[in-house]
Amino acid sequence: GGALNGKTVFMPGWTEREIIAGDDKATMWKLLPSVHFLVTDKIKAMVEFKRAQGTTAYQYTNRYRFKNIATNQYRAELKSDRWFVRAYQTQDFGEDSYDLSFTGTYMQTAVDPRTGTANRSYAQQYFGAYALAYNTFLANPANAGNTAGAEQAARAQAAPFQLMAGSPEFNALRKQIITDEMPGRGTQLNPSSFLSDLSTQYEWRSPVANGVIGGGYRQYRLGSNGQLFSDQDGKRIINDEYGIFTQLTKSAWKDKLKFMGAARLDGFQNFPQLFSPRVAMIYSAGKQEQHTFRASFGQAFRSPTQQGQYLQLDLQRLILLGNVNKGFQGYSTEIEGVLPTILSSQTPAEATLQAYEVNINNLKPERVATWEIGYKGQPAAKLTVDANFYISNYRDFIRQVRFIGNVDGSRPTPAQLAAAATGARPLQTGPTRVIQVQANAAQQVHASGSMASLTYRPRKQLNLTGNYTLSLLERKRLPERFQAYYNTPRHKFNLGAYGEVGKAFNYSLNYRWAEGHLYESPFATGQLENYSTLDADLGFRLPKQHTLLQVGGTNLLNSRNIQVYGGPQIGRLVYLGLTVEVK
């Protein structure tokens, strides 16, 4: 209060490095045993197990420390040259992972043991000392208007209530919070989900046409104890999917012209069935058939992710929810700033609120229809060209929507809005929240692009290559603040050279450049700058010793690239490798 009215004050907090503390190493190890054997001369069987475990930082809706996160995969396969039957199960485990942002938050809001029975948190102590020192400083007539001095005095007075990173008290509180999996109190994450998959395919050949037919079944068993998915009852969420497909190919004009047609039918537990057709034509021209022209049309879909369907993650500033139940009714977030005025107006609140109403239907798969034409060939000796152009039209484009609503999907009443807006933590607790879900856009979304690559091989010692990609998304007809997550540069290109000198030496050099673009994610949205890298690799082979020595590096110019908004800079990496073949 007092002179601080209308001002925002933050505790200093800690850097991510300080919160990670001794967990600052990125590690990875893998175990990949497998057994292969011949059932007959043409039928092979395989049983495989994969185990991967490691520690790293991760960014999605928040910043996380994935510590000792592990994945197991069991796989069995029986195959011949015409058919296969394959089954596998993937299991993931969060182990000792934790949320970095909430670790800092919960440490600040933990009870300061020095307050005894008062049970005041570090944050309460800090802000109380800050406010007292700030107001006291400005109350002195000699300091009138010196807000900079008041801030300095307030920070100095409040500093003892900010735990020092690395101190015994800091380390003990940090360990307590990152090993507690109770939402709202601890930040440990140990989601454990299973994915089971069974698929088969058969191929046949005949004078009329060649064909393929197959199908598959997939089951997700999601488990997070309510920390990531809406499985608070302790039971895994079961989600089933299946699909069948077929493809036919036919040749004509002495195999110069080839036709292909394919169709796929997919079924889902949460969505209607979807049919996906595709047709293509390839024509080969020239005496040596060195020119190939292609054209295709296809319809496809993108199924909502398991998080899009079943997510439940409370970030306090908002809550992220899945959208496969009854949809949501609520109000635009634009209402937040004018809510007190609406609720205190003489006009009935219901009438005024209607202008801000939003209605969100159940999530559906995203569908796309794409036309593509292309050419690949050798218009001149030692020169290879590959180019294509495509146009895609998206329906039910999946995007993120943020609004004010009730977590059960109902529209808040004026009384609920008033209670949520006037609490100690407005719109951060209770049934009425700022909610974010995935939803389908009513508008069609149009994308187009092209790619062209050239490779010139004048001699074995020198090969030159380059490619350029153009990617366009039509945004002008999309609603304001529409988040498409189309995180693709408009322009990007590669220029490179590679070759072999004698039998012992080989090299490659490549320069990559991408135009800065809008990057959207649940964690952060912003504009990236142009970024580029220069990579090189040198190899020296010793045939008699069956040895290959390699030295190389990526981003040799050490341009501090940021390719994910809110992510780290990517600098230079240099490596040395030695490969020895034992026969």
Side-chain angles (χ1 to χ4, degrees):
L4 273 175
N5 280 338
K7 295 183 180 294
T8 302
V9 177
F10 296 96
M11 286 186 73
W14 304 277
T15 65
E16 184 173 296
R17 183 187 298 272
E18 290 171 333
I19 293 177
I20 289 176
D23 295 336
D24 59 347
K25 300 295 188 297
T27 62
M28 171 63 73
W29 64 265
K30 296 181 180 181
L31 180 66
L32 308 169
S34 62
V35 177
H36 303 254
F37 56 93
L38 291 173
V39 179
T40 69
D41 290 344
K42 295 184 178 180
I43 300 177
K44 301 177 182 180
M46 182 268 286
V47 177
E48 180 183 64
F49 170 73
K50 295 181 180 179
R51 167 80 176 188
Q53 182 169 324
T55 296
T56 187
Y58 180 74
Q59 178 175 305
Y60 181 60
T61 53
N62 224 350
R63 290 283 292 176
Y64 302 94
R65 189 63 176 169
F66 280 176
K67 184 179 180 184
N68 298 325
I69 188 169
T71 300
N72 291 338
Q73 185 179 86
Y74 303 88
R75 179 182 173 189
E77 183 178 85
L78 193 65
K79 66 179 296 185
S80 76
D81 59 340
R82 294 284 185 93
W83 56 267
F84 70 79
V85 178
R86 180 184 302 139
Y88 68 86
Q89 184 180 82
T90 301
Q91 308 169 346
D92 61 70
F93 309 95
E95 295 294 342
D96 304 314
S97 302
Y98 54 95
D99 185 299
L100 287 167
S101 299
F102 278 145
T103 297
T105 299
Y106 293 166
M107 289 178 69
Q108 289 177 328
T109 56
V111 172
D112 185 345
R114 295 170 295 186
T115 63
T117 57
N119 290 330
R120 290 174 60 81
S121 69
Y122 290 100
Q124 289 172 326
Q125 295 279 85
Y126 183 93
F127 290 123
Y130 188 102
L132 179 61
Y134 190 94
N135 290 329
T136 301
F137 184 91
L138 291 181
N140 186 338
N143 299 326
N146 185 7
T147 56
E151 290 173 359
Q152 184 177 0
R155 284 195 297 268
Q157 192 68 25
F161 300 103
Q162 167 79 53
L163 284 176
M164 182 178 296
S167 66
E169 296 83 1
F170 177 95
N171 292 337
L173 182 57
R174 173 187 172 277
K175 182 177 180 180
Q176 172 189 323
I177 289 174
I178 68 173
T179 56
D180 188 342
E181 62 179 27
M182 177 64 69
R185 188 182 67 194
T187 59
Q188 186 180 52
L189 299 171
N190 187 15
S192 174
S193 298
F194 295 170
L195 167 61
S196 301
D197 188 286
L198 175 64
S199 59
T200 184
Q201 179 178 297
Y202 174 74
E203 178 182 354
W204 76 89
R205 303 181 183 94
S206 74
V208 178
N210 298 330
V212 175
I213 188 170
Y217 167 78
R218 175 170 289 187
Q219 182 185 76
Y220 297 89
R221 299 170 59 201
L222 310 175
S224 70
N225 293 323
Q227 295 176 305
L228 179 63
F229 300 110
S230 54
D231 60 335
Q232 296 89 344
D233 56 4
K235 298 179 181 178
R236 292 185 181 275
I237 298 172
I238 308 298
N239 193 7
D240 298 307
E241 300 177 356
Y242 67 86
I244 55 175
F245 62 89
T246 186
Q247 175 179 300
L248 294 174
T249 57
K250 173 66 176 177
S251 299
W253 289 357
K254 298 180 180 181
D255 290 340
K256 289 182 177 293
L257 184 62
K258 296 180 181 179
F259 298 94
M260 187 275 288
R264 181 180 178 97
L265 180 67
D266 286 271
F268 311 90
Q269 180 174 301
N270 294 323
F271 316 113
Q273 291 181 339
L274 285 177
F275 177 68
S276 306
R278 185 172 188 267
V279 292
M281 181 181 68
I282 301 174
Y283 176 68
S284 300
K287 293 182 179 180
Q288 298 177 335
E289 298 186 359
Q290 69 270 32
H291 304 289
T292 301
F293 300 89
R294 61 187 184 270
S296 67
F297 170 76
Q299 292 182 342
F301 69 90
R302 179 166 68 106
S303 180
T305 64
Q306 301 305 301
Q307 290 192 4
Q309 297 179 56
Y310 296 108
L311 183 65
Q312 181 166 302
L313 183 60
D314 194 337
L315 301 179
Q316 294 187 351
R317 67 183 187 277
L318 74 159
I319 184 169
L320 310 181
L321 298 176
N323 183 16
V324 290
N325 292 322
K326 300 178 181 178
F328 292 87
Q329 294 181 319
Y331 299 100
S332 165
T333 52
E334 295 176 355
I335 198 178
E336 195 168 354
V338 296
L339 195 53
T341 303
I342 293 174
L343 296 174
S344 62
S345 172
Q346 299 298 319
T347 306
E350 290 88 343
T352 310
L353 290 171
Q354 286 180 359
Y356 297 91
E357 288 182 357
V358 294
N359 298 286
I360 300 167
N361 296 324
N362 279 4
L363 192 59
K364 296 185 292 185
E366 176 181 299
R367 295 173 292 161
V368 61
T370 299
W371 295 87
E372 180 184 12
I373 57 173
Y375 164 81
K376 183 175 182 179
Q378 292 181 305
K382 301 179 181 180
L383 176 66
T384 301
V385 176
D386 191 353
N388 76 327
F389 173 76
Y390 70 88
I391 296 176
S392 296
N393 295 317
Y394 293 88
R395 302 180 68 89
D396 299 322
F397 197 94
I398 295 176
R399 62 184 181 122
Q400 299 284 346
V401 177
R402 192 173 292 185
F403 60 98
I404 296 174
N406 290 335
V407 294
D408 64 1
S410 63
R411 196 186 311 278
T413 64
Q416 288 175 318
L417 288 172
T422 57
R425 296 164 62 192
L427 294 168
Q428 293 192 21
T429 59
T432 304
R433 301 288 304 276
V434 177
I435 299 172
Q436 180 170 298
V437 300
Q438 289 188 8
N440 302 101
Q443 299 84 358
Q444 284 196 38
V445 178
H446 303 283
S448 61
S450 61
M451 185 277 294
S453 68
L454 299 174
T455 302
Y456 180 55
R457 304 180 180 89
R459 53 180 57 89
K460 183 180 179 181
Q461 294 83 356
L462 176 64
N463 300 272
L464 303 175
T465 183
N467 62 66
Y468 165 77
T469 302
L470 172 67
S471 301
L472 304 173
L473 179 70
E474 185 181 353
R475 290 182 176 270
K476 62 183 180 181
R477 294 195 300 173
L478 299 178
E480 189 179 355
R481 294 188 298 275
F482 182 97
Q483 286 193 297
Y485 289 4
Y486 195 78
N487 299 324
T488 305
R490 184 184 180 95
H491 303 282
K492 64 179 180 180
F493 68 83
N494 286 259
L495 295 174
Y498 64 93
E500 296 181 7
V501 180
K503 296 182 178 180
F505 181 75
N506 63 78
Y507 70 94
S508 67
L509 185 70
N510 189 71
Y511 176 76
R512 296 182 294 162
W513 180 90
E515 183 182 39
H517 58 94
L518 178 67
Y519 190 96
E520 299 171 320
S521 75
F523 178 74
T525 295
Q527 185 70 29
L528 296 179
E529 300 296 326
N530 300 344
Y531 50 91
S532 61
T533 64
L534 178 65
D535 308 331
D537 180 86
L538 302 175
F540 187 73
R541 185 177 296 277
L542 302 172
K544 293 183 178 180
Q545 288 75 27
H546 306 288
T547 299
L548 174 65
L549 177 66
Q550 284 182 294
V551 60
T554 61
N555 195 10
L556 293 176
L557 301 179
N558 202 32
S559 56
R560 308 300 289 182
N561 293 321
I562 297 179
Q563 301 180 17
V564 175
Y565 192 79
Q569 294 179 333
I570 301 175
R572 181 189 296 119
L573 173 66
V574 179
Y575 57 85
L576 178 67
L578 182 66
T579 303
V580 180
E581 295 181 5
V582 180
K583 296 185 177 180

